[in-house]
Amino acid sequence: MITSRRFERRLVPAVIASVVVLLSFASVAQATERISVLNGFNGPVNAISEPDSNGTRYFGGDFTLFRPWDTGYGALVEASSGDVNSTFPKVNAPVYATASDGSGGFYIGGLFSCIGPNISGNCDGVDDVRRNYAAHINADGSVDPSWNPNLNNVVLALAVSGSNVYLGGYFTCIGPNTSGLCDGVDDVRRNRAAAVTTAGALTDWNPNLNDGVSAIGVLGSTVYLGGYFTTAGGQSRGRAAAVTTSGTGTLTDWNPNPNGIVWAIGVLDSTVYLGGEFTTVGGQSRSRAAAVNATTGVATSWNPNLNSGVRAIAVLGSTVYLGGFFTTAGAGPTTRNYAAAVTTSGTGTLTDWNPNLNSIVLAIGVLGSNVYLGGWFNTVGGTTRNYAAAVDDTNGTPTSWNPNLGSGVSAIGVLGSTVYLGGSFATIGGTTRNRAAALDTDGTLTDWNPNLNDRVSAISVLGSTVYLGGSFTTVGAGATPRNYAAAVTTAGTLTSWNPNLNNSVNAIGVLGSTIYLGGWFTCIGPNTSGNCDGVDDVPRSRAAAVTTAGTLTSWNPNLNNGVYAIGVLGSTVYLGGAFDTAGAGATPRRRAAAVTTSGTGTLTDWNPNPDNDVLALAVSGSNVYLGGWFNTVGAGDEVVTRNSAAAVDTDGTLTSWNPNLNGAVRAIGVLGSTVYLGGSFTTAGVGTTPRNRAAAVTTAGTLTSWNPNLNGDVYAIGAFESTVYLGGDFTTAGGAPRSRVTKEFAVPPVLFDLAVSKTGTGVGTVTSSPAGIDCGADCSESLVDGSSVTLTATPASGSSFTGWSGSGCSGTSTCTVAMSEARTVT
């Protein structure tokens, strides 16, 4: 295995571009208001494949997450939206090279040893497929069983030409190699380069290099190699060589002889473009990039003159796109931060293309009018783009394509115009927000930043304080200890409130000055010994109550297993979870129980008895709504089918309310006469109506037409006024990109038109709050029934505003219109 120090400077293969026509992608009409919250990449992109016939590319690197998907160092990315194909399998270590197979699948090379879910993490063949350093993934996401070179070291470069796949890196043998000795007994010697047919057979092609290969380009019957080597086939070849594709691979006379490492190769017509750390080619000054005749190896006059290394090259038509460590290019020199474009003609004219990135580019691909970039950067032209971006091929302006990697939202709290989010994410829209963040209802990220070190599973807002529960143990920039529960002011200040539990908190309920906690903990207090022995802690098994002043109360339901959900109504606390008993006497209470708020908490007779875990709970009016994994509620002769959701009266009577879902309910919110459900279900109602992960059912039991249609599970719901906020692991809502959070109207809205007309000889504008009307450009908007719209008239210089008429408006101040019907204002 190569050492990490050497490995750091030997990462990236070349990416050779070709022209592929993008298929068109229809836009999705949106019937409801939605906000999108996107999390950032969690690691660099090292390689970008050529596109398949749909424009889809395979991205490889040191990242492990792509949007909510645990991709494991590789991701298949759609060309137009940046969406990831979640069916493609995980890879267990970094990917450094990738190429399309032309049929929707991809060849990949890198440092990995297995592919698949690999839940156990031990690469044992139980839930993964062993593939050492190179693999072929079919279009359906399966690992090709017949293509398995089984190399003994890392692959850094890969190219597909005809029926051959050319590999380059640090390997020295190919084959079963059960002994691990590379001794020729059950392996075949191949030093740093090899060719394997697309059917999986090792060919005789054997350039035999004495050091690593980091770039490969194929042109006709010749394979061009770049890297760290100084000999090929036993003959002197400094960092660049050309070998025929036939037979064992005849070394040609082509010998550019750069004086430093070659990291990237691009080929076009009769020219081979080299990028790396060299400063001369064939004795001629060529700083980090050069063009060499494909036959003679003689450097042309083309000379971009970069001030630091080139890691990636893509050639399209008359333009060569370069990426790397450099910050200037051209004879000037001219500022070009990490990416530049140079014409192929003459000495190479620097173009105006200037993405202006804030860090290194490691991979480039070109498709249509887009140039795809991958690397260590976080901004492109000042716009946040974490580690991957698509930019215009003419001026380098970033397009809307923005893959953005991150993790899910599992808790939501709403107060006024602020939405508080909790989960396992580390960034929001490219801005660091570790596990908790606050956004305005319009989607703007606020400065509120508790900065927790692990997952937030529960949020409750009381006055000016946000109570948080989860798996975290520190809060704030100074990593202040807060074990599993903390309170942060809405201004962002950590309070002294500190229950100090010994395990995670899954649920929080608030009543007056008391905070009810539920989870997996068994004691509360300093617990310096860590053994929960009652010496410096107090036993509290899975549920506890702490005052807002931080005092532990005597309330102690004493459950024998985890609590997932809490609801508080009047003098009763309702609990849902995985427990079977509750109370001091370990009274049977399967997955749901009710305990009084007074004293130590008396267990009531309320006993729905669901047959499996309760994951969500909401109390409204005289009903307690339950959601989870259960299929029945009740006991003995009174067992009744209730698939994943049920409503039980506060006196313990099961109601007729029956959403009948086909998968788990993980979140419940109640707003007026509607119950909003989120989870992993895909159908609801008696007729199994499609409802992907979210549904709304009236309190009378009727399934409504409300249908956000999400493509991933919902873990949290916040219902406030006319809006329902959903959080989870989805990436689309209603077909539109919505990464883990979406804002939906509580019910499909009734819309009325507001029309504004201007009269008179003067000139000016009329604008609205909330935004929408901007007249002259936009003098009509469809607005939600019940909304209030304020219009403001602003005369242009030389004109005056003389007043309003229509829809109750008059005078020369602002005009406020109540949208209870279609309105016209003049």
Side-chain angles (χ1 to χ4, degrees):
M1 186 64 66
I2 56 179
T3 65
S4 60
R5 177 174 294 178
R6 193 179 194 192
F7 186 70
E8 287 173 355
R9 63 185 181 89
R10 300 185 169 193
L11 290 178
V12 184
V15 178
I16 314 302
S18 61
V19 181
V20 179
V21 179
L22 271 174
L23 299 182
S24 64
F25 294 89
S27 61
V28 180
Q30 296 182 41
T32 60
E33 176 191 9
R34 293 192 168 102
I35 60 173
S36 178
V37 180
L38 300 175
N39 295 319
F41 248 131
N42 75 334
V45 171
N46 297 329
I48 305 174
S49 78
E50 285 300 289
D52 69 6
S53 59
N54 294 323
T56 300
R57 297 173 184 268
Y58 190 90
F59 283 58
D62 287 278
F63 57 84
T64 56
L65 294 173
F66 193 103
R67 287 188 170 168
W69 308 111
D70 179 9
T71 57
Y73 304 96
L76 192 64
V77 185
E78 192 271 338
S80 178
S81 67
D83 286 342
V84 66
N85 183 338
S86 63
T87 64
F88 252 56
K90 285 177 58 177
V91 181
N92 74 327
V95 172
Y96 299 123
T98 175
S100 170
D101 67 3
S103 302
F106 290 85
Y107 294 94
I108 62 174
L111 196 59
F112 53 85
S113 56
C114 62
I115 300 176
N118 194 14
I119 298 167
S120 63
N122 56 8
C123 212
D124 56 7
V126 175
D127 54 356
D128 54 65
V129 178
R130 190 82 184 185
R131 285 294 183 270
N132 290 317
Y133 308 107
H136 178 214
I137 303 175
N138 295 315
D140 62 1
S142 63
V143 179
D144 186 342
S146 62
W147 200 86
N148 184 15
N150 197 37
L151 302 126
N152 73 323
N153 211 329
V154 65
V155 170
L156 299 178
L158 190 154
V160 179
S161 180
S163 61
N164 282 346
V165 181
Y166 295 92
L167 305 169
Y170 276 94
F171 53 86
T172 54
C173 61
I174 296 180
N177 194 13
T178 53
S179 66
L181 299 177
C182 209
D183 55 9
V185 175
D186 57 353
D187 53 65
V188 179
R189 195 80 181 182
R190 287 291 184 272
N191 288 317
R192 287 85 181 190
V196 180
T197 69
T198 53
L202 178 65
T203 73
D204 294 332
W205 190 80
N206 184 14
N208 190 32
L209 302 133
N210 72 326
D211 207 344
V213 171
S214 53
I216 297 178
V218 184
L219 184 63
S221 60
T222 306
V223 181
Y224 296 90
L225 304 169
Y228 304 83
F229 53 85
T230 55
T231 68
Q235 299 184 49
S236 177
R237 287 293 184 275
R239 290 95 179 182
V243 183
T244 64
T245 57
S246 59
T248 58
T250 303
L251 183 68
T252 74
D253 294 333
W254 188 83
N255 186 13
N257 197 33
N259 70 335
I261 303 160
V262 172
W263 276 325
I265 291 179
V267 292
L268 181 68
D269 298 329
S270 61
T271 305
V272 180
Y273 294 90
L274 306 175
E277 284 290 359
F278 52 83
T279 55
T280 66
V281 173
Q284 299 185 60
S285 177
R286 292 292 183 272
S287 184
R288 284 81 180 195
V292 180
N293 184 281
T295 303
T296 66
V298 176
T300 73
S301 60
W302 189 82
N303 186 13
N305 190 39
L306 292 313
N307 70 328
S308 194
V310 171
R311 282 291 187 112
I313 294 178
V315 188
L316 181 65
S318 60
T319 305
V320 182
Y321 295 93
L322 306 168
F325 294 88
F326 55 84
T327 55
T328 67
T334 304
T335 299
R336 285 293 185 271
N337 289 317
Y338 310 106
V342 182
T343 64
T344 58
S345 60
T347 58
T349 303
L350 184 67
T351 74
D352 293 333
W353 187 81
N354 185 15
N356 191 31
L357 303 114
N358 73 324
S359 194
I360 303 162
V361 170
L362 301 176
I364 297 179
V366 183
L367 179 63
S369 61
N370 284 346
V371 180
Y372 295 88
L373 305 172
W376 284 96
F377 53 84
N378 301 113
T379 64
V380 178
T383 302
T384 298
R385 289 293 184 270
N386 288 310
Y387 306 102
V391 301
D392 184 88
D393 66 346
T394 303
N395 54 28
T397 302
T399 72
S400 59
W401 186 88
N402 186 12
N404 279 329
L405 313 183
S407 194
V409 170
S410 52
I412 295 177
V414 185
L415 180 67
S417 61
T418 304
V419 182
Y420 295 91
L421 305 175
S424 51
F425 52 84
T427 61
I428 296 285
T431 302
T432 299
R433 286 294 184 271
N434 287 313
R435 287 87 185 186
L439 298 98
D440 292 334
T441 50
D442 66 359
T444 302
L445 183 66
T446 74
D447 293 332
W448 190 79
N449 184 14
N451 193 39
L452 302 117
N453 72 328
D454 209 339
R455 184 185 180 97
V456 170
S457 302
I459 293 178
S460 190
V461 188
L462 179 63
S464 61
T465 304
V466 182
Y467 293 91
L468 306 168
S471 305
F472 56 85
T473 55
T474 67
V475 181
T480 304
R482 286 293 185 273
N483 291 317
Y484 311 108
V488 181
T489 68
T490 53
T493 304
L494 178 66
T495 74
S496 60
W497 189 82
N498 184 15
N500 197 31
L501 302 121
N502 75 322
N503 210 330
S504 60
V505 170
N506 299 325
I508 298 177
V510 178
L511 180 65
S513 61
T514 304
I515 312 299
Y516 295 91
L517 305 172
W520 291 100
F521 53 87
T522 54
C523 62
I524 296 181
N527 194 13
T528 53
S529 65
N531 55 8
C532 217
D533 56 6
V535 175
D536 55 354
D537 54 66
V538 180
R540 285 294 184 272
S541 185
R542 284 82 181 195
V546 182
T547 69
T548 53
T551 304
L552 178 66
T553 74
S554 59
W555 189 80
N556 185 13
N558 191 41
L559 302 138
N560 74 326
N561 213 336
V563 170
Y564 293 124
I566 291 179
V568 187
L569 181 65
S571 60
T572 307
V573 181
Y574 296 90
L575 305 166
F579 52 85
D580 295 308
T581 67
T587 305
R589 284 293 184 276
R590 189 167 63 168
R591 278 78 178 206
V595 182
T596 64
T597 57
S598 59
T600 58
T602 303
L603 185 66
T604 74
D605 293 333
W606 189 82
N607 186 13
N609 200 41
D611 68 334
N612 211 330
D613 292 358
V614 171
L615 306 177
L617 187 153
V619 185
S620 180
S622 61
N623 282 344
V624 181
Y625 295 93
L626 305 174
W629 287 106
F630 54 84
N631 298 114
T632 66
V633 177
D637 295 334
E638 298 179 355
V639 172
V640 178
T641 298
R642 288 289 185 272
N643 291 316
S644 305
V648 182
D649 193 277
T650 52
D651 67 4
T653 304
L654 178 67
T655 73
S656 60
W657 189 81
N658 184 13
N660 191 39
L661 303 135
N662 72 332
V665 170
R666 302 176 184 275
I668 299 177
V670 183
L671 199 60
S673 60
T674 306
V675 182
Y676 295 90
L677 305 169
S680 52
F681 54 84
T682 56
T683 66
V686 176
T688 60
T689 304
R691 286 293 184 273
N692 288 315
R693 286 84 175 193
V697 182
T698 67
T699 52
T702 303
L703 181 67
T704 74
S705 59
W706 185 83
N707 185 16
N709 190 31
L710 303 144
N711 73 331
D713 290 0
V714 171
Y715 297 123
I717 291 179
F720 183 75
E721 293 182 343
S722 61
T723 305
V724 178
Y725 297 90
L726 303 172
D729 270 343
F730 50 84
T731 57
T732 66
R738 290 296 179 267
S739 187
R740 294 167 294 279
V741 179
T742 186
K743 171 184 175 183
E744 308 284 338
F745 282 112
V747 292
V750 176
L751 303 177
F752 293 116
D753 289 335
L754 171 61
V756 175
S757 62
K758 297 190 295 183
T759 62
T761 58
V763 178
T765 60
V766 179
T767 57
S768 67
S769 179
I773 296 291
D774 186 9
C775 192
D778 185 354
C779 297
S780 180
E781 281 293 321
S782 295
L783 301 166
V784 180
D785 179 21
S787 62
S788 179
V789 183
T790 300
L791 300 174
T792 301
T794 305
S797 178
S799 297
S800 60
F801 174 60
T802 58
W804 303 98
S805 64
S807 298
C809 292
S810 61
T812 57
S813 185
T814 58
C815 161
T816 300
V817 181
M819 296 303 299
S820 57
E821 59 183 356
R823 301 286 193 182
T824 301
V825 176
T826 302

